[in-house]
């Protein structure tokens, strides 16, 4: 590192910071001026109304309202500019590339930061990391390089690739590199402690991550990577990139993140604001299904607890059958056939009088209303039948009035006649009502009528008892959407599904129907498909779920979260052939201990004594987590409730492995009881251990440790 050049870079840093301070003050002054204008307009209007209540017409009020809204928008814009530049003050930029396009005589100095900053002459002093030219930093090395711009491919020569490290607003050092963003800078950052929330990573985005972030707005993009490979960070930065790239048509409210838990939603909640974008809504699949189907559904944590017990074998059979791609094909075929034939119609008659022949209803369903969804066709037929019944009712009412006029008169005659008509038509009304009461749960049970292991009978019983198992809810949702009993959500334009490996084929297909206008980014790790009974995941099947053959799939190949020592243990736990490639940073070896309450408590205390800021205890089940949380001082139990958020600094998060997915902690204590060591059990234990950044203690059943060939 050249001292003279370092001083020049520091001078450039000070110049940029000076401009930032000036821009912040100007923006705040503008915001204050706009607020003052609003107050003055409202004060003038109030004074006019005080002197003469009729001084302002309705049109005047509309003009005033429009003016206030315009000034509020200008104030909000200036407030936003000030906030963005305040974020840049301590780290005005983090990288630089020098690049000379083939069709230009001089090289460009491209300094890269969180947002763009323009000088007094209109020259860009700092480029927004999302700008097309900045992909050179993430993807290319000095030498021949190119990037994709709105005008096409720009080729040229990159003569410099530089990384900066800022500390307390001062440039500490820079590194020139001819390889990817590696070693000194990335390791320096990874060595630090984690935070209560996931953070933005614009300065250390790797080439494979950058490709996923900047990939076009495909109908479906799958991103597959191991624990710690940055999938969630990629997803959040991809959202920020898409909002930047398609700013004119992709607002925050048109994007949705489907997250695995409420605590995970809270964990990712600060990334987009850090990147200067409005936060996007997030939702769990459980909330989505209960809201859309408007019924009580078994919570996935309850299901998981049952599946993990020896008595859970019948449910594991159910999960295995209903999570496969073949089951999706079964439901599709049933939905297509029901759309063609409809419910079992029968002739509606009263004595010898026919209200509607079976054949006529079939023609209405299959021909007259065929352009409609099945649910709408049934509703139309019901309306036709009720209209005819009203005419019968009128005729019968006249007949009964004539018949009963010798017995009653006036109001009593009308009441008696109506009572008799109602009683006479009641059977027909019940039949029409039954036709309109085709329930999706009953149709779902019909679709399973010939399923093995008595699953059809169980589904029928559950439908009758109004019980919805978690593995059944996506199938019911799929049929409800396909047949038109549930309306799709058409406002969402981009859907991000994290931990997609936990979704069955039917669940993904239901999402494709529920969000028909959305482009989708799926993120998942087959090694973390841990629900007992589910088949091992092949992410290639995701395309079939979304009916998008040939959709791109990108793979993130390395783990940046854990130390090499922890990753080696994770690889020893995984089933044969499933390994994680680690980014090189050494650390302490994991501690392996027999599972006792004392060992768990001592391990937690050791983590706290060593100053780790975030500590968690991961168990196999929620029941075990609940018990341990009562023993551990300052424990914070994550139980999947609506109020579930990450613990305050200093607290110890305690949860079953399924609620820890996507989260990371400085130090992790895994408390794992005796269990049969299947491939699924290995993946569950891997999921638990891979939460750790710097320190891992595995407290496990001694027999289990011997089977894993790990010595306590």
């Amino acid at each position: 590192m050249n001292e003279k050049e370092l001083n020049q870079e520091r001078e450039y840093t000070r110049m940029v910071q000076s401009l930032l301070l000036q821009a912040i003050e100007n923006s705040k002054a503008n915001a204050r001026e706009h607020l003052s204008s609003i107050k003055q307009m409202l004060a003038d209007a109030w004074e006019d109304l005080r002197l003469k209540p009729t001084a302002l017409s309705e049109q005047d009020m509309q003009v005033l309202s429009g003016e206030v809204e315009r000034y509020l928008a200008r104030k909000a814009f200036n407030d936003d500019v000030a906030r963005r530049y305040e974020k840049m003050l301590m780290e005005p930029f983090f990288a630089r590339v020098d690049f000379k396009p083939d069709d230009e005589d001089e090289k460009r100095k491209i300094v890269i930061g969180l947002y763009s900053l323009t000088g007094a002459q209109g020259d860009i002093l700092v480029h927004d990391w999302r700008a097309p030219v900045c992909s050179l930093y993430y993807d290319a090395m000095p030498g021949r390089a190119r990037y994709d711009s709105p005008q096409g491919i720009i080729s040229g020569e990159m003569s410099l690739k530089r990384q900066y490290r800022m500390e307390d607003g001062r440039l500490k050092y820079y590194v020139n590199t001819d390889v990817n963003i590696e070693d000194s800078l990335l390791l320096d950052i990874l060595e630090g402690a984690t935070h209560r929330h996931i953070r933005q990573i614009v300065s250390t985005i790797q080439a494979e991550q950058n490709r996923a972030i900047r990939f076009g707005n495909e109908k479906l993009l799958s991103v597959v990577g191991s624990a710690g490979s940055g999938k969630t960070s990629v997803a959040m930065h991809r959202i920020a990139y898409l909002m930047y790239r398609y700013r004119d048509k992709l607002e925050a409210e048109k994007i949705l993140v489907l997250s695995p838990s409420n605590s995970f939603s809270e964990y990712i909640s600060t990334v987009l604001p850090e990147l200067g974008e409005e936060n996007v809504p997030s939702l769990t699949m459980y909330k989505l299904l209960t809201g859309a189907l408007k019924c009580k559904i078994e919570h996935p944590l309850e299901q998981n607890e049952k599946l993990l017990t020896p008595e859970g074998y019948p449910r594991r059979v159910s999960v295995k059958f209903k999570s496969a791609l073949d089951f999706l094909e079964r439901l599709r075929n049933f939905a297509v056939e029901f759309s063609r034939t409809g419910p079992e119609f029968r002739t509606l008659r009263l004595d010898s009088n026919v209200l509607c022949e079976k054949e006529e209803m079939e023609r209405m369903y299959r021909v007259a209303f065929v352009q409609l969804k099945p649910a709408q066709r049934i509703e139309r037929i019901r309306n036709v039948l009720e209209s005819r019944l009203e005419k019968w009712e009128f005729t019968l009412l006249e007949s009964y009035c004539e018949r009963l006029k010798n017995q009653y008169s006036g109001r009593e005659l009308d009441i008696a006649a109506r009572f008799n008509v109602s009683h006479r038509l009641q059977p027909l009304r019940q039949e029409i009502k039954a036709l309109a009461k085709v329930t999706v749960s009953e149709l779902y049970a019909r679709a399973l009528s010939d399923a093995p292991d008595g699953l059809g009978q169980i589904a029928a019983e559950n439908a009758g008892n109004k019980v919805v198992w978690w593995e059944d809810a996506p199938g019911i949702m799929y049929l409800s959407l396909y047949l038109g009993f549930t309306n799709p959500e058409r406002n969402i334009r981009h859907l991000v599904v994290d931990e997609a490996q936990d979704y069955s084929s039917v669940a993904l297909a239901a999402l494709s129907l529920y969000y028909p206008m959305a482009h989708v980014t799926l993120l998942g790790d087959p090694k973390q498909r841990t629900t007992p009974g589910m088949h091992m995941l092949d992410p290639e099947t995701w395309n079939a779920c979304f009916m998008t053959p040939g959709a791109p799939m990108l793979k993130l190949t390395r783990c940046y979260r854990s130390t090499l020592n922890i990753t080696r243990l994770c690889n020893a736990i995984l089933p044969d052939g499933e390994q994680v490639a680690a980014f090189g940073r050494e650390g302490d070896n994991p501690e392996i201990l027999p599972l006792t309450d004392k060992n768990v408590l001592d391990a937690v205390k050791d983590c706290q004594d060593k100053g780790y800021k975030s500590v968690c205890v991961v168990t196999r089940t929620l029941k075990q987590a609940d018990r341990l949380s009562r023993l551990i001082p300052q424990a914070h139990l994550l139980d999947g409730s609506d109020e579930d958020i990450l613990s305050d600094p200093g607290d110890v998060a305690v949860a079953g492995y399924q609620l820890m997915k996507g989260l990371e902690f400085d130090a992790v204590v895994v408390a794992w009881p005796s269990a049969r060591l299947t491939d699924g059990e290995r993946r569950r234990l891997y999921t638990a251990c891979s939460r750790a950044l710097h320190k891992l203690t595995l407290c496990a059943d001694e027999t289990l440790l011997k089977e894993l060939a790990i010595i306590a």
Side-chain angles (χ1 to χ4, degrees), residues 19-32 78 82:
L19 288 175
L20 286 170
L21 285 169
Q22 183 181 336
I24 291 168
E25 181 51 42
N26 289 343
S27 296
K28 288 185 174 181
N30 289 338
R32 288 193 296 269
N78 280 278

Side-chain angles (χ1 to χ4, degrees), residues 49 146 170 219 225 240 281 435 482 506-507 538 567 569 579 653:
L49 290 171
R146 64 180 191 171
R170 186 173 186 272
K219 184 62 179 174
L435 174 66
Y482 195 106
V506 175
D538 177 5
T567 304
L569 177 62
Q579 297 289 285

Side-chain angles (χ1 to χ4, degrees), residues 265-431:
S265 297
E266 196 255 347
Y267 179 60
I268 65 174
S269 63
T270 61
V271 178
L272 287 171
E274 279 187 12
L275 294 171
E277 298 293 350
E278 186 180 346
N279 225 338
V280 300
S282 64
L283 193 65
T284 63
M285 189 65 170
Y286 178 72
K287 281 191 174 180
L288 187 156
L289 289 173
T290 51
L293 294 178
K294 295 179 174 53
C295 65
K296 186 174 181 181
I297 301 172
E298 175 189 44
H299 197 283
L301 290 180
E302 294 176 29
Q303 182 217 48
N304 203 70
E305 295 287 295
K306 295 169 185 173
L307 294 173
L308 287 170
T309 65
E311 298 78 25
Y313 175 75
R315 288 294 298 276
R316 292 194 290 274
V317 170
S318 173
V319 168
K320 183 176 182 180
F321 181 76
K322 294 165 186 173
S323 62
L325 193 59
D326 288 346
F327 185 63
L328 173 57
E329 286 304 307
R330 170 187 284 263
L331 291 186
R332 274 183 182 154
N333 292 337
F334 176 85
V336 169
E337 182 63 15
F338 186 84
S339 296
R340 187 181 69 81
T341 61
E344 295 180 6
F345 296 107
R346 64 175 186 172
T347 298
L348 298 179
R349 67 176 75 242
L350 183 63
D351 300 330
S352 60
N353 300 305
V354 174
L355 181 70
C356 190
E357 295 280 2
K358 169 187 174 183
E359 291 76 15
E360 184 184 359
M361 283 186 274
E362 289 174 346
R363 280 195 299 275
M364 283 191 279
Y365 184 89
R366 299 173 189 175
V367 180
F369 305 141
V370 73
Q371 299 301 320
L372 302 175
K373 289 275 191 179
Q376 283 77 53
R377 289 185 240 171
I378 292 170
E379 180 66 16
R380 285 286 188 90
I381 294 170
R382 186 185 68 81
N383 289 340
V384 169
L385 297 177
E386 288 189 344
S387 177
R388 292 184 185 180
L389 198 60
E390 282 181 15
K391 293 177 181 178
W392 276 25
E393 185 176 25
F394 181 76
T395 302
L396 280 173
L397 190 59
E398 287 184 332
S399 174
Y400 273 103
C401 282
E402 183 65 29
R403 192 182 306 176
L404 297 172
K405 67 181 181 181
N406 293 329
Q407 297 174 255
Y408 305 98
S409 63
R411 180 174 173 76
E412 288 184 350
L413 175 60
D414 184 62
I415 292 173
R418 290 186 183 280
F419 175 80
N420 279 275
V421 170
S422 176
H423 181 73
R424 184 84 185 279
L425 296 180
Q426 185 62 21
L428 269 180
R429 291 194 188 282
Q430 289 296 108
E431 289 193 64

Side-chain angles (χ1 to χ4, degrees), residues 41-62:
M41 281 190 291
L42 294 176
D44 290 345
W46 175 252
E47 182 64 18
D48 289 344
L49 290 171
R50 188 181 69 80
L51 296 174
K52 185 180 180 183
T54 60
L56 297 178
S57 66
E58 185 177 343
Q59 184 177 1
D60 293 332
M61 294 298 289
Q62 289 176 351

Side-chain angles (χ1 to χ4, degrees), residues 77-112:
F77 173 79
N78 280 278
D79 286 339
D80 185 54
V81 169
R83 279 193 297 269
R84 286 178 176 234
Y85 286 158
E86 283 173 341
K87 289 179 185 294
M88 289 178 68
L89 267 177
M90 301 305 282
E91 188 179 14
F93 45 83
F94 56 82
R96 166 186 167 186
V97 295
D98 289 356
F99 179 73
K100 190 186 87 63
D102 290 338
D103 60 352
E104 295 182 17
D105 296 329
E106 296 185 4
K107 68 181 179 183
R108 302 180 194 170
K109 176 184 174 182
I110 301 158
V111 177
I112 305 169

